[in-house]
Amino acid sequence: MAKLCISLDTDKEKALKIINSLKGKDLVFKVSHPLYLQNPEILKLIKELNFKLFLDLKLFDIPNTVKLTIKECEKLKVDYLTLHLLGGREMIEEALKVKGNVKLIGVGALTSFSQENLSFFNFKGLKEMTLKLIEFGSSLGLDGFVCPGAFLEEVRERVKGKILVVPGIRERVKPFDQKFTLTLKEAKEKGGDLLVVGREVLLSEEPVRRVEELLSKI
Ligand code: C5P
């Protein structure tokens, strides 16, 4: 069943208010570097309140460092953790050995990737790169992938039984830097599992109410 994942790309005061006001809801909170560097304790709070914790670190390092990082994530009871598929086979295989209960989510092409970057790596286009990397990660046994909405149906067809995380969900706010957007309903129907909303909630005057509205749509 699809789940709502709130991306806490905001300051710690606002993040704490949102988390504390949504106790008891079936939610995933996604935290990345800016927030946990402001307040590392926020990771523990999310778990103490029985939410799922998605740590979006997009790991890309030598296998040993990635392995040590994942062991720490296991101790913190992180539910979902991202790593770059471009990190390669050895990095991913080492990560899988120590993941324990952490679900490892592969990141393919960054949406900020330019055509120049793609040509350098010999990829024809964003779609080819995304599909190739996701199939590679799937063959190694990763739990899921971040999947741009534009390729969601095709990826769902190719990788069955994996968690697909879909960013770029839009209902009311404008796209901003997202090149391709989907509504919650579209993302769910096309096979998304974790539907990520950031600004859709954070720019609302009543973020908690907005989360409740979005939850009722899933
Ligand atoms: O505010 P918005 O809903 O666009 O936030 C989307 C979230 O998803 C951000 O935290 C962003 O870092 C993340 N993300 C993304 N595109 C990717 C991978 C992650 O937008 N390809």
Side-chain angles (χ1 to χ4, degrees), residues 3 23 26 69 105 148 182 186:
K3 266 180 178 284
K23 284 178 199 162
D26 185 15
T69 310
I105 306 292
L182 289 174
E186 287 166 336

Side-chain angles (χ1 to χ4, degrees), residues 7 9 30 56 58 109 111 146 167 169-170 178 196-199:
S7 191
D9 307 313
K30 183 166 91 62
D56 194 6
K58 297 191 177 72
T111 35
V146 175
I169 305 285
R170 291 293 184 271
Q178 297 288 2
V196 181
V197 285
R199 283 163 285 190

Side-chain angles (χ1 to χ4, degrees), residues 19-60:
I19 295 166
N20 280 310
S21 310
L22 287 162
K23 284 178 199 162
K25 306 270 182 219
D26 185 15
L27 287 169
V28 181
F29 281 109
K30 183 166 91 62
V31 178
S32 46
H33 304 84
L35 182 60
Y36 89 76
L37 289 173
Q38 282 177 64
N39 183 2
E41 293 302 311
I42 208 149
L43 304 181
K44 286 189 189 142
L45 177 70
I46 290 171
K47 289 302 297 185
E48 277 163 18
L49 295 181
N50 286 320
F51 295 114
K52 297 282 184 217
L53 172 60
F54 187 135
L55 194 51
D56 194 6
L57 297 186
K58 297 191 177 72
L59 298 176
F60 193 165

Side-chain angles (χ1 to χ4, degrees), residues 32-206:
S32 46
H33 304 84
L35 182 60
Y36 89 76
L37 289 173
Q38 282 177 64
N39 183 2
E41 293 302 311
I42 208 149
L43 304 181
K44 286 189 189 142
L45 177 70
I46 290 171
K47 289 302 297 185
E48 277 163 18
L49 295 181
N50 286 320
F51 295 114
K52 297 282 184 217
L53 172 60
F54 187 135
L55 194 51
D56 194 6
L57 297 186
K58 297 191 177 72
L59 298 176
F60 193 165
D61 211 320
I62 59 168
N64 186 53
T65 309
V66 167
K67 209 158 86 175
L68 294 173
T69 310
I70 295 176
K71 282 186 180 168
E72 295 307 317
C73 290
E74 237 278 306
K75 287 184 205 158
L76 278 169
K77 300 200 184 325
V78 168
D79 296 285
Y80 306 95
L81 174 71
T82 47
L83 80 178
H84 273 285
L85 295 164
L86 281 169
R89 178 182 294 274
E90 203 187 343
M91 184 195 88
I92 295 171
E93 284 177 348
E94 288 304 305
L96 286 164
K97 281 184 196 161
V98 294
K99 80 181 193 82
N101 292 321
V102 180
K103 293 195 170 58
L104 291 181
I105 306 292
V107 178
L110 289 175
T111 35
S112 54
F113 238 58
S114 66
Q115 190 55 48
E116 197 184 320
N117 296 143
L118 291 168
S119 311
F120 178 79
F121 287 110
N122 238 343
F123 289 113
K124 278 193 228 103
L126 210 55
K127 181 169 160 183
E128 192 216 12
M129 178 179 178
T130 305
L131 295 179
K132 218 169 179 175
L133 285 172
I134 289 182
E135 282 186 333
F136 164 67
S138 181
S139 72
L140 294 179
L142 286 176
D143 297 289
F145 303 94
V146 175
C147 182
F151 315 133
L152 183 54
E153 278 169 305
E154 248 166 296
V155 170
R156 180 80 288 168
E157 269 296 302
R158 291 174 189 224
V159 295
K160 302 243 170 5
K162 301 286 180 185
I163 302 162
L164 295 186
V165 179
V166 189
I169 305 285
R170 291 293 184 271
E171 297 272 327
R172 284 190 196 158
V173 299
K174 60 181 182 177
F176 296 100
D177 43 4
Q178 297 288 2
K179 305 273 184 298
F180 189 95
T181 64
L182 289 174
T183 63
L184 271 184
K185 188 165 177 276
E186 287 166 336
K188 196 178 147 184
E189 285 174 0
K190 288 173 191 260
D193 298 300
L194 292 191
L195 314 182
V196 181
V197 285
R199 283 163 285 190
E200 192 64 43
V201 166
L202 301 169
L203 296 180
S204 163
E205 282 183 7
E206 294 179 280

